[in-house]
Amino acid sequence: MATTNKKGAKKSEAKSPRVTAKKSPPKKPAQTVQSLQRELADALEQQNATSEILRVIASSPTDIQPVLDTVAKNAARLCEATDTQIRLVEADGTRLVASFGSSPAPQFVPTNLRNPAGRAILQRQQIHVHDMRAAESDFPGSAELTKRTGTRTFLSTPMLREGVPIGLINIRRTEVRPFSDKHIALLKSFADQAVIAIENVRLFQELQARNHELTESLEQQTATGEVLRVIASSPTELQPVLDTLIANAARLCGATMGHVRQYDGEFHRVVAHYGETAEMIATLRANPLPPSPDLPAARALLGRKPVHILDVQSETGVHLILARQMGTRTLLSVPLLREGTAIGSLTIWRKVVEAFTERQIELVNTFADQAVIAIENVRLFKELEARNRDLTEALEQQTATSEVLRVISSSPTEVQPVFDAIVHSAARLCEASFGSAHRYDGQQITIDARANFTPEEIELGRRRFPTPATRATAVGRAILDRDVVHIEDIHGDPEYENFGTLTQLNFRTVLAVPLLKDGSPIGALGMWRREVKPFTENQINLVKTFADQAVIAIENVRLFQELTESLEQQTATSEILGVIASSPTAIQPVLDVVAENAARLCDAFDASIFQMDGDRLRRVAHRGPIAGVPTLALVRSAVASRSVLDARTIHIADLQVEEAEFPESSAGARRE
């Protein structure tokens, strides 16, 4: 019985008689050829085995098992072993990963010097035991296994990577027949090939993992770039950003569905979706959720940290019914935080129980931060836009007001240019379909200026005005109430009369602001819209400002006219007094000047002065084209005569129609 290691450390205890070496007779040529053929066949088998192993290595760059199975099979066959075991180092032992043959082998073997495999690992060299039964004292840890499997000859070869053992290959025989040096070298070659295969797979898997990480990183960067591009291209629109965010978050994290919710202080409202059906979307939008701690999204907001639930359907709470309806299993909800304040949540889920990775949770956090940036950007942009709009409106209003004041100053004797400027500016700045300015004399309303009227609509207005002030129109109501009248829809106002002209104008919303002088109405401004669209408070205040300017313009013209009339009267009086002074003994020049100034200052077509002459009136001065009669009888049928008889002023609006009261004068008016 003999036990040897690679170098033959122990020799046989009972040596056979030494045979004296004799000179062998020369071999026959046939025997030499046979030996060469056997060696050639062995070499060919080894090459074929090596080629097979290399082919399997090439075809399984990420899977080591086919390679190890092939190595085990070829090692057993070419080394004439009963079986082969390939084991890899794991913790403080080795674990079986491939085998060939029917002999049983333990899954795990501790690494120590009590078994040949452990000694091969620890000593980093091949251990060759010629007879395991004879070497029980050297390897007591293998004695029981040796008896159970019938192992006699055992060869263990470590697999070394840069001098460090990563595993080993064991081959066994159930008879005492030591492996030849050729077999020992061949097994070492198989171990080296196994190391190459394991290293290739490890490097390939590392490269694959690195590529996967780079791909994920690239996808994430691409998704982030896409989100930033949408944010940049939609500074005032939040929806495209949120849609892009939830789609990328769900896709990159392998989620089935997802949505974004915004918290309005009372409810969590869904504002963006991914993967949800139209029916689900309708249900979610129709049923905003209250901030209950039973809801994952609300829990994320309350805790201000991600909520990761492995299986929602294993929990209890009000969200369970909805989760079952939508098939939700694993769920992740991340809060949207702005300066520590929760403003919403981003939730994704799977229909299978599969936890999200730390990397995926971190990615969703990144998308949540981008959502907050987008929401904040849109809010700030809208605030800036509103501020700019307010400033623009204020500037436009100031410009319009300045324009009206300029017109007022440049037209001190005419109110029409002021009315025209006011109506056009008010209609433009208040986004009215059309507008108008009206005067009121205490009884009748006239239309004095228009903006955006068509010729047909102007003609309709001419037929409608002048008209009494009634509550059937907004302008009339504003004059009667001395207050602003704002009717959102005239079709819903029971007092509004549906005049034929109004039906043809086809308007719905109307605003009327009275022109008040010392609290008394003297007119109104009207603004109309063809659609139902109420005027804003800012627009109403603007029309009130224009109304005040219109009153100023009317009053300025009145005062200017009064001043002009007063000046003209004073001039006429001075002229008459001058004539009197220059003609103290002649009355005719004075009467002629009086007649002339009376006609001019009163804007009269003709003027006559009569003097009593007995029982008649004699014309002593005249200015104008009417020849008239030189004398008038003192009768009540003539206007001048009745004025003398009654000693009072008589003012007749239309003398030609006063035939019954003043037949003589009426006939003369018609004749002349």
Side-chain angles (χ1 to χ4, degrees):
M1 182 172 64
T3 301
T4 70
N5 61 14
K6 181 180 177 183
K7 297 179 179 180
K10 288 192 175 184
K11 298 182 180 179
S12 48
E13 296 175 358
K15 298 180 180 178
S16 56
R18 190 170 183 177
V19 178
T20 304
K22 295 183 179 180
K23 188 175 181 180
S24 300
K27 292 184 179 181
K28 297 179 180 180
Q31 292 175 331
T32 302
V33 171
Q34 188 177 25
S35 175
L36 289 174
Q37 286 177 341
R38 185 168 55 254
E39 289 179 3
L40 182 61
D42 289 344
L44 184 60
E45 278 190 328
Q46 292 178 23
Q47 287 181 0
N48 288 339
T50 300
S51 297
E52 182 182 3
I53 292 170
L54 293 176
R55 187 178 69 253
V56 176
I57 290 174
S59 62
S60 301
T62 61
D63 187 4
I64 191 61
Q65 195 60 48
V67 179
L68 298 180
D69 291 341
T70 302
V71 169
K73 179 186 70 174
N74 282 289
R77 181 171 59 84
L78 295 181
C79 293
E80 301 173 6
T82 304
D83 71 334
T84 304
Q85 303 156 30
I86 299 179
R87 314 181 74 88
L88 293 181
V89 173
E90 182 181 292
D92 55 351
T94 59
R95 186 167 299 280
L96 182 67
V97 293
S99 63
F100 183 84
S102 57
S103 296
Q107 287 295 315
F108 184 81
V109 174
T111 300
N112 53 54
L113 296 176
R114 293 168 59 82
N115 60 74
R119 188 171 296 181
I121 292 293
L122 294 173
Q123 294 181 354
R124 293 170 171 75
Q125 65 179 5
Q126 288 181 305
I127 300 297
H128 186 195
V129 183
H130 291 188
D131 188 353
M132 288 293 295
R133 290 184 184 175
E136 286 183 357
S137 59
D138 289 334
F139 305 107
S142 300
E144 183 180 349
L145 180 63
T146 298
K147 292 176 181 178
R148 190 169 70 250
T149 61
T151 301
R152 301 301 295 271
T153 299
F154 187 95
L155 176 61
S156 182
T157 300
M159 297 187 295
L160 303 176
R161 183 178 66 208
E162 297 179 358
V164 178
I166 61 172
L168 51 83
I169 303 178
N170 298 331
I171 55 176
R172 300 182 295 187
R173 285 175 177 163
T174 55
E175 58 180 338
V176 177
R177 182 160 64 94
F179 292 99
S180 66
D181 291 342
K182 181 179 177 181
H183 290 156
I184 293 171
L186 182 58
L187 190 61
K188 186 178 184 307
S189 174
F190 282 134
D192 293 339
Q193 289 175 343
V195 170
I196 292 171
I198 292 171
E199 184 67 3
N200 282 352
V201 169
R202 183 185 68 81
L203 292 174
F204 195 93
Q205 287 177 342
E206 285 184 0
L207 179 61
Q208 195 175 44
R210 180 59 178 161
N211 286 341
H212 181 68
E213 288 179 359
L214 291 174
T215 301
E216 278 190 350
S217 178
L218 180 60
E219 286 180 341
Q220 292 174 17
Q221 290 178 2
T222 302
T224 300
E226 182 182 1
V227 171
L228 294 176
R229 180 185 59 77
V230 175
I231 290 175
S233 63
S234 304
T236 60
E237 294 183 63
L238 185 58
Q239 196 61 49
V241 180
L242 297 181
D243 289 341
T244 303
L245 277 169
I246 189 61
N248 280 300
R251 179 174 55 82
L252 294 178
C253 294
T256 309
M257 297 179 184
H259 57 235
V260 179
R261 291 180 182 268
Q262 277 190 277
Y263 182 54
D264 61 7
E266 184 178 5
F267 292 103
H268 300 271
R269 300 183 185 276
V270 176
V271 293
H273 307 262
Y274 174 81
E276 294 170 334
T277 64
E279 184 179 357
M280 290 178 183
I281 293 172
T283 300
L284 289 169
R285 289 190 180 272
N287 298 281
L289 300 176
S292 168
D294 290 331
L295 303 171
R299 206 183 307 168
L301 261 67
L302 292 172
R304 288 167 173 72
K305 62 182 180 181
V307 171
H308 187 197
I309 303 174
L310 184 60
D311 188 359
V312 175
Q313 296 189 23
S314 66
E315 294 199 345
T316 59
V318 295
H319 65 282
L320 185 58
I321 296 176
L322 184 61
R324 286 175 176 168
Q325 288 176 346
M326 302 181 75
T328 307
R329 300 306 295 267
T330 297
L331 178 144
L332 173 65
S333 188
V334 175
L336 309 183
L337 301 176
R338 183 179 66 208
E339 297 179 356
T341 301
I343 61 172
S345 61
L346 193 158
T347 304
I348 58 174
W349 62 89
R350 293 179 172 133
K351 289 189 174 182
V352 296
V353 178
E354 180 186 351
F356 291 98
T357 65
E358 288 298 323
R359 187 180 182 87
Q360 289 170 337
I361 295 173
E362 182 181 352
L363 178 61
V364 177
N365 269 314
T366 300
F367 282 127
D369 292 339
Q370 290 179 331
V372 172
I373 292 171
I375 292 170
E376 186 68 1
N377 280 355
V378 170
R379 182 185 68 82
L380 293 174
F381 196 95
K382 285 185 175 179
E383 284 183 1
L384 179 60
E385 192 175 44
R387 178 62 177 160
N388 287 340
R389 184 169 56 250
D390 290 343
L391 291 173
T392 301
E393 284 184 358
L395 180 60
E396 288 180 340
Q397 292 174 15
Q398 289 178 3
T399 302
T401 301
S402 300
E403 174 66 16
V404 171
L405 293 175
R406 185 189 62 77
V407 175
I408 290 174
S409 64
S410 63
S411 304
T413 61
E414 295 182 80
V415 77
Q416 191 61 47
V418 180
F419 273 12
D420 289 338
I422 284 175
V423 170
H424 282 88
S425 293
R428 176 173 56 83
L429 295 177
C430 294
E431 301 172 350
S433 301
F434 50 92
S436 63
H438 302 267
R439 298 285 289 273
Y440 178 62
D441 62 5
Q443 293 183 340
Q444 297 286 318
I445 302 173
T446 60
I447 183 166
D448 294 85
R450 303 172 181 85
N452 304 333
F453 278 74
T454 65
E456 294 77 15
E457 290 168 345
I458 292 174
E459 183 58 33
L460 288 172
R462 286 191 182 132
R463 295 202 299 266
R464 174 70 183 135
F465 292 95
T467 183
T470 68
R471 299 189 63 79
T473 65
V475 169
R477 201 179 302 175
I479 289 173
L480 294 175
D481 292 347
R482 294 171 170 79
D483 200 359
V484 174
V485 173
H486 185 199
I487 304 173
E488 293 187 8
D489 187 358
I490 63 170
H491 290 178
D493 189 304
E495 292 187 285
Y496 216 98
E497 186 175 340
N498 189 18
F499 299 107
T501 52
L502 302 184
T503 301
Q504 294 178 60
L505 288 173
N506 189 29
F507 61 86
R508 301 294 293 273
T509 298
V510 59
L511 171 67
V513 177
L515 309 183
L516 300 176
K517 178 182 176 296
D518 298 330
S520 298
I522 60 173
L525 296 179
M527 297 288 124
W528 290 267
R529 283 176 173 158
R530 300 191 190 279
E531 73 275 20
V532 177
K533 182 182 178 184
F535 292 90
T536 66
E537 285 297 321
N538 194 27
Q539 291 169 338
I540 294 172
N541 290 331
L542 177 60
V543 178
K544 290 169 69 176
T545 299
F546 282 132
D548 293 338
Q549 290 179 329
V551 172
I552 292 172
I554 294 171
E555 187 65 7
N556 282 353
V557 170
R558 184 187 66 80
L559 292 173
F560 193 91
Q561 289 175 344
E562 287 181 356
L563 180 61
T564 302
E565 288 178 359
S566 176
L567 182 60
E568 287 180 343
Q569 292 172 13
Q570 289 177 7
T571 302
T573 301
S574 297
E575 184 179 353
I576 293 169
L577 292 174
V579 173
I580 292 172
S582 63
S583 304
T585 60
I587 190 63
Q588 193 59 48
V590 177
L591 296 177
D592 290 340
V593 170
V594 169
E596 179 184 355
N597 281 285
R600 179 171 57 81
L601 294 178
C602 294
D603 195 19
F605 182 68
D606 191 273
S608 295
I609 299 176
F610 291 89
Q611 185 177 2
M612 286 289 296
D613 187 4
D615 59 350
R616 298 183 69 82
L617 291 177
R618 181 171 55 86
R619 188 166 70 177
V620 294
H622 173 246
R623 173 65 65 182
I626 300 175
V629 293
T631 62
L632 291 173
L634 282 172
V635 293
R636 298 189 67 82
S637 60
V639 176
S641 297
R642 185 180 296 189
S643 177
V644 172
L645 292 173
D646 293 349
R648 65 182 179 89
T649 300
I650 297 175
H651 181 203
I652 300 172
D654 189 354
L655 184 57
Q656 291 188 18
V657 300
E658 295 293 335
E659 186 175 0
E661 186 73 17
F662 301 100
E664 186 174 338
S665 295
S666 179
R670 288 195 300 274
R671 188 170 55 250
E672 295 170 350

